[in-house]
Amino acid sequence: MFSTFYKKRSIGIVRRPSIFVLSMLVPSLFLVLLFNYYPILQSITYSFFKWSGGHKKTFLGLKNYIDLFTSSVFYISLYNQLVILVLRTIFLIVPALLVARLIFGLKTWAKASNFFRLIFVVPVVIPPIVVLLIWQFLLDGEIGLINSFLQAVSLGNLTRAWLGDPKTALGSVIAIGFPWVQGTNMLIFLAGFLAVDESIWDSVTLEGVSSLQRFFYIDIHLILGQLKLNIILTIIQLMQDFVGIMVLTDGGPGTATLVPGLLLYKNAFQYAKMGYANAIGVVLFVVILSLSILNSRIGKESNQ
Amino acid sequence: MQTHGVVAKEAFTMKIIVHKRRNTMVKKCLIVLLIAGLLMSSVFAAGSKESPVGAPQKMRVYAERFTPGIDRAISTLPPLRAFDDIARDYEKLFPNVEIEFYNFMGDHSNTSEYMSWITTQSIAGTLPELVMAQATELEGFKENEWFVDLRPYLEKPNPYVPGNKRWMDLFGEKIISTRLSSTGELWALPISLVATGIYYNKTLFNELGLEAPQEWEEFKHVLKTIRDKTDVIPFLFDMSTTTKASWAYRVFLSFLFEPLLPQIDLDGNEIVSTEEFARAVKFGILGAATPQHREVLRLLDEWKDYFQRGFLTAPATGLFNRGQAAMWWEGIWEYPVLEADPLKTFEVGTFYVPRITSATSKYVDDNAPMRMIGGASGVQLAVSRSAVDKNMVDQAIDFLMYITTPEHNGRIAAESKELAPIVIGAKGDDSLDSFLEQANNGITTFIIERFFSPEQINDWFRTLQDFLSQKISLEEATNRLQRIYVAAADLLIEKNKFVF
């Protein structure tokens, strides 16, 4: 009876520590609510106002959204963003996946595996602005290395003002970071491969499946969770990121590289139209959330 | 019963243990919450330090390229001290005031970046009391009351200039009028004059037997010769930002609309006001749909063939200094840098934008004066909300009056050598005299930054970029620009209640 009683009490004792855990989380929760959720709610609220950052606000109802959805510049920026999203997602996911699989294949050769892992991860620590400035120099129409190389190999007719020509500016921005082996993505994929049970790899080998079949029909399915995670994170990052474009082209020439994030920034800080900028932010939030949910659903169906 | 007693005793013991453990956990939770509360209160308290009573009031000043101690463009240029010395002399007059020079660490020439800083600091209430800002860019913040309208103060006498009855008289109404907002406020006081010029590689010109061109057709010949006979970029032109695009546009507008000026500039002061602009657009005298404006676009389109590759997005830094470009249109602030550059291997000359004559366009008057690109758009100081909150507006204005005596204004500008003084009678550096001769003819009559809102400036700029990159035709560019002109005129009429 005592032991039963003790167990009951034991169960009671096991429940008690959760109050302590909750109390440890409260300060963090407070800060997250204050610095993350509260600004989001404020942003949604201000999107219905004419506001330039000061104390005066004029309620406009849906006018900011109507102006936004009737603005041709917004649709141009959305189109540019879509192109960047599709192409850069492919560029940032596929090479990382391939490299991770190749490094995984070296798992029996530890030194080589560690060496290649290091080589592909070290660039992650380089500040992004440094990378952008290097690429700005590479792509320069007059003194850029790419044009110099093309001239050196007698392909001078291919030289361009890469960032200054509306025909090539968007493509040049998308190509930044070649060969696009994103270190963090590669590590996540590699972790996925390493987490798979050895017996599965052994049975696959015994089945006599070809490498290509194995990659498409087995490997990808085994790391579907990691793939989903990387895609979601890449989409979120690409939708929010405009700093690169701001540094390289400032959305130009014309509107050739304008994206919604940069449009938001200009409206907020150059045109003093914070309310309108908030409306852009809300629309971006809805788009990113929708893409994330869609990606999650597709991943779930594939799992099933 | 004994068993029941043992169980009861053990249960009682367990209750005591549980009770003690609960008390311990509650104590831990309380300690954690207390620490969190103390941390948060110290974070919030950190931003609310107040100066002790009786301590000098601090006035922070960000004066851009006049800031004492800033890194100069070339390290061989001596550090600036004049403004600091003048500030210390001022402190002797007002021992309760301490002037601190603030150094903005970003790129003040990058409008996006600089305006972000202005906006965020203004929202936080931490902007320096006197801060550099382009007067025409602050108009959008009018309803926020972030900056003080300095126009009324210009009617007062400057006590530091004996005999002065109106502070305005030290500058001249015309030059100040170029900095007024579309509704007549002056949001930042100019304390320097800028001029521009085309720097050219005199050594290369001599080798090719060329001379500095005076007229546009000569200029085209020079450009063509350099392109055909050398690998050097004929003309370095940075159109990655609106600044140089605005210069070129304003020069062409001035030349091409000069014959129509009597119909536009009704008060005859050779500065087109916002009312005159709106009226001229509404009456069809001024605008993109006019034949004169089509000439502006044609001239720009022809000229661009001699620019460097990527001129629409790449800043043109360094190419002229390294001898890779033959000509470069820049401000006088580059002159001391060029002179001091130890890596420059050629002689530098300057000339002003060549005159457009009837040989280039039938809409031009050959006797029209050469208008200056420049004026009061150099260092301008705004009195920010911080000064209002600290009850320091009168002090800030007084300090502005102190630094805009001919002696002090001349000293500050002459030491920097990068800009000219603006106060009448102030003496700047001799090396800039040739640039300033053009000021005698007045500055360009059409200052689009006064007519277009920041968003309209951006639309205007994007349209020019699309046109010059041949993404859109002349017709499409004309239509888009005309819509901007009309929208700008409508907005000005609405804001000011103009009636024509």
Side-chain angles (χ1 to χ4, degrees), chain A residues 158-198:
Chain A
L158 294 180
T159 58
R160 295 281 182 275
W162 299 102
L163 293 171
D165 184 343
K167 295 192 194 86
T168 55
L170 190 62
S172 302
V173 160
I174 289 169
I176 300 281
F178 176 82
W180 310 300
V181 181
Q182 222 277 349
T184 322
N185 288 353
M186 188 275 292
L187 281 180
I188 291 173
F189 285 134
L190 185 60
F193 284 124
L194 290 170
V196 174
D197 201 290
E198 283 286 340

Side-chain angles (χ1 to χ4, degrees), chain A residues 2 5 20 23-24 30 52-55 141-142 159 161 163-164 166 250 253-254 265-266 269-271 273-274, chain B residues 10-11 28-29 32 36 40 112 115-116 119 123 143-144 146 233 308-310 313 454-455 458 462 465-466 469:
Chain A
F2 170 72
F5 180 85
F20 178 69
S23 65
M24 294 291 278
F30 176 75
S52 56
H55 53 279
E142 285 294 340
T159 58
L163 293 171
D250 200 28
Y265 180 84
K266 283 182 177 296
F269 296 110
Q270 267 187 276
Y271 314 153
K273 289 169 71 177
M274 293 266 190
Chain B
E10 284 173 348
K28 280 184 188 170
C29 295
V32 167
M40 289 203 307
S112 293
M115 290 312 292
S116 313
T119 305
I123 291 172
E143 61 177 19
N144 296 348
W146 283 347
I233 300 162
Q308 76 280 14
R309 259 193 173 153
T313 53
E455 196 173 356
N458 183 69
R462 297 292 175 209
Q465 284 193 320
D466 281 342
S469 63

Side-chain angles (χ1 to χ4, degrees), chain B residues 438-479:
Chain B
Q438 63 197 243
N440 295 330
N441 290 324
I443 60 173
T444 52
T445 40
F446 302 91
I447 301 172
I448 56 169
E449 288 81 359
R450 296 184 61 215
F451 309 142
F452 297 163
S453 68
E455 196 173 356
Q456 287 162 349
I457 287 275
N458 183 69
D459 290 343
W460 162 84
F461 180 58
R462 297 292 175 209
T463 305
L464 279 189
Q465 284 193 320
D466 281 342
F467 172 65
L468 293 175
S469 63
Q470 295 172 319
K471 192 175 167 192
I472 59 174
S473 65
L474 178 63
E475 282 312 312
E476 173 67 22
T478 298
N479 291 339

